[in-house]
């Protein structure tokens, strides 16, 4: 009988793309992939270290695997596994911990899947994580996450990613285009570009620090790949989002008018403490430029609350900055201290209750911003890509500019594109619509 393997992914889209590639390797080796809730011979947990909650969830996920099969072989990979391998290896039930480079060779480290008395660790020095492994994930059969870049050379004072993933390095343009064509051939309608710092694309493409290609070169080449209906940029640093890129997206055949741009703080004093590579005036300039050429564009923002030194005055400065900015939604992160980061030893620590209160305020602002953006889109004609799940009798989808819509469940709508007119916002804050073209566009 074939051995069964199950996967659980914590964290970002990049982790999901890498989990999918690792899973395909197992299938190629004769394993059956099953859902994590099912009984399996081996469970692989791809970990995250960005937030405190992601760390804490690891133990409960291991317990979930053990409950399904106490004899199963449990392996931890990913960022947390690179940063604190011994800590993960000490968790009851964990048999194997693999670091940043070893995770892609996981099959080489397993034998008969019999459990170990103690967690076995294979973790490289992060300086050795200097090679690139391409990957992509196909989630709900309507979109894929395509990894184009890994690692980061920035030194933000709160971030452990350079310690967990190593230096900035990129996939070759040829390989990115090959993966994109493979995804398209599977009938996937949308590709989301992902990486740690994708605006830095081209650095380390052929194993050196020089840029062989730029991010603009990348998106121009992807725009020419046949069969891709939508391309979405997941997240890009404001200092790397150039006018040329914005202008190209505005005229592109495939790239959609949706940008996610990390801000982290709306006050220059805190941005300097964070060692970010821009100030608020540049951020305003990027938003203004996008809205100038794409008034209907959706703009998402990452922001951190409770960073050391964030006084009440600085927080209110951030709040008002975001309130006045023409953006569409926020991803709010509550600052948590991470070992081996400069911020962990900074003065001006913000009480956790205060961090929580500030987070709640910004989440409320995000609801207000999203509602205002949705209202601005009512009466407009958009294209929706429907997803593949039946959620309590409804099917959901996203327009090209990331407005979430819903309608009565119809299985024939799955993974199809339709022209619609946005009509009203319902009680859940989602948008209802009328079909303009009842026939499937693609």
């Amino acid at each position: 009988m074939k051995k069964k393997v199950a996967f659980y992914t914590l964290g970002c889209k990049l982790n999901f793309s890498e989990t999918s590639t690792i899973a395909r390797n197992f299938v190629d080796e004769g394993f059956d992939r099953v859902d994590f809730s099912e009984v399996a011979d081996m469970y692989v947990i791809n970990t995250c270290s960005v937030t405190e909650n992601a760390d804490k969830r690891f133990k409960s996920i291991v317990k979930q695997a053990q409950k399904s099969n106490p004899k199963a072989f449990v392996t931890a990979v990913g960022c947390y596994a690179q940063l604190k391998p011994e800590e993960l290896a000490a968790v009851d039930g964990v048999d194997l911990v693999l670091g940043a480079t070893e995770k892609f060779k996981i099959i080489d480290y397993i034998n008969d899947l019999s459990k170990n008395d103690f967690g076995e660790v294979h973790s490289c020095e992060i300086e050795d994580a200097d090679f690139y492994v391409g990957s992509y994930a196909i989630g709900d059969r309507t979109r894929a996450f395509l990894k184009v870049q890994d690692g980061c050379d920035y030194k933000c004072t709160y971030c452990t990613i350079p310690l967990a993933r190593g230096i900035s390095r990129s996939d070759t343009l040829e390989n990115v285009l090959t993966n994109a064509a493979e995804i398209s051939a599977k009938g996937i309608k949308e590709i989301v570009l992902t990486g740690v710092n994708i605006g830095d694309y081209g650095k380390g493409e052929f194993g050196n620090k020089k840029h062989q290609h730029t991010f603009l070169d990348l998106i121009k080449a992807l725009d020419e790949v046949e069969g891709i209906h939508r391309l979405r940029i997941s997240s890009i640093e404001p200092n790397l989002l150039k006018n040329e890129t914005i202008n190209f997206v505005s005229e592109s055949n495939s790239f959609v008018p949706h940008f996610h741009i990390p801000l982290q703080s709306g006050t220059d004093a805190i941005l300097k403490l964070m060692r970010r590579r821009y100030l608020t005036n540049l951020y305003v300039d990027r938003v203004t430029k996008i809205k100038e050429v794409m008034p209907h564009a959706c703009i998402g923002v990452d922001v951190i609350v409770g960073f050391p030194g964030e006084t009440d005055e600085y927080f209110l400065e951030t709040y008002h900055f975001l309130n006045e900015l023409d953006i569409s939604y926020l991803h709010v992160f509550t600052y948590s201290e991470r070992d081996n980061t400069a911020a962990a030893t900074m003065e001006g620590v913000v009480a956790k209750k205060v961090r929580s209160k500030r987070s709640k305020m910004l989440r409320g602002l995000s609801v207000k911003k999203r509602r205002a953006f949705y209202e601005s889109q009512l009466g407009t004609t958009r294209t929706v890509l429907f997803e593949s799940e039946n959620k309590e009798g409804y099917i959901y989808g996203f327009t090209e500019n990331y407005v979430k819509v819903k309608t009565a469940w119809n299985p024939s709508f799955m993974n199809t594109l339709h022209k619609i007119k946005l009509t009203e916002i319902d009680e859940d804050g989602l948008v209802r619509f009328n079909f303009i073209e009842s026939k499937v566009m693609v």
Side-chain angles (χ1 to χ4, degrees), residues 157-158 270 273-274 304-310 335 343 346 348 350 358:
T157 55
Y158 55 82
I270 298 299
L273 286 174
M274 291 176 166
I304 297 171
V305 297
F307 189 81
E310 186 187 64
Y335 172 75
M346 285 183 178
V350 178
R358 292 176 184 174

Side-chain angles (χ1 to χ4, degrees), residues 185-197:
K186 296 176 188 292
I188 305 300
K189 300 291 193 294
E190 179 174 309
I191 292 177
V192 182
L193 304 185
T194 187
V196 175
N197 188 359

Side-chain angles (χ1 to χ4, degrees), residues 413-424:
F413 289 169
M414 291 191 299
N415 195 32
T416 59
L417 291 154
H418 299 257
K419 275 274 196 249
I420 61 171
K421 183 175 183 179
L422 305 178
T423 57
E424 63 176 314

Side-chain angles (χ1 to χ4, degrees), residues 3 5 7 17-33 42 44 101-108 110 133-136 182:
K3 295 289 187 181
V5 61
F7 297 84
S17 71
E18 292 181 342
T19 297
S20 287
T21 294
I22 293 168
R24 284 192 290 273
N25 291 339
F26 271 92
V27 172
D28 290 344
E29 290 294 323
F31 283 75
D32 275 339
R33 182 180 181 179
M42 182 175 180
V44 180
T101 63
E102 293 81 5
K103 64 186 174 186
F104 295 109
K105 299 176 284 186
I106 184 171
I107 292 171
D108 295 342
I110 59 175
V133 177
S135 57
Y136 61 84
E182 278 183 24

Side-chain angles (χ1 to χ4, degrees), residues 3-7 32-44 65 68-73 113:
K3 295 289 187 181
K4 295 180 179 179
V5 61
F7 297 84
D32 275 339
R33 182 180 181 179
V34 299
D35 189 82
F36 199 84
S37 61
E38 298 179 41
V39 175
D41 300 289
M42 182 175 180
Y43 294 91
V44 180
S68 296
N69 182 6
K71 296 181 180 179
F73 193 87
L113 299 185

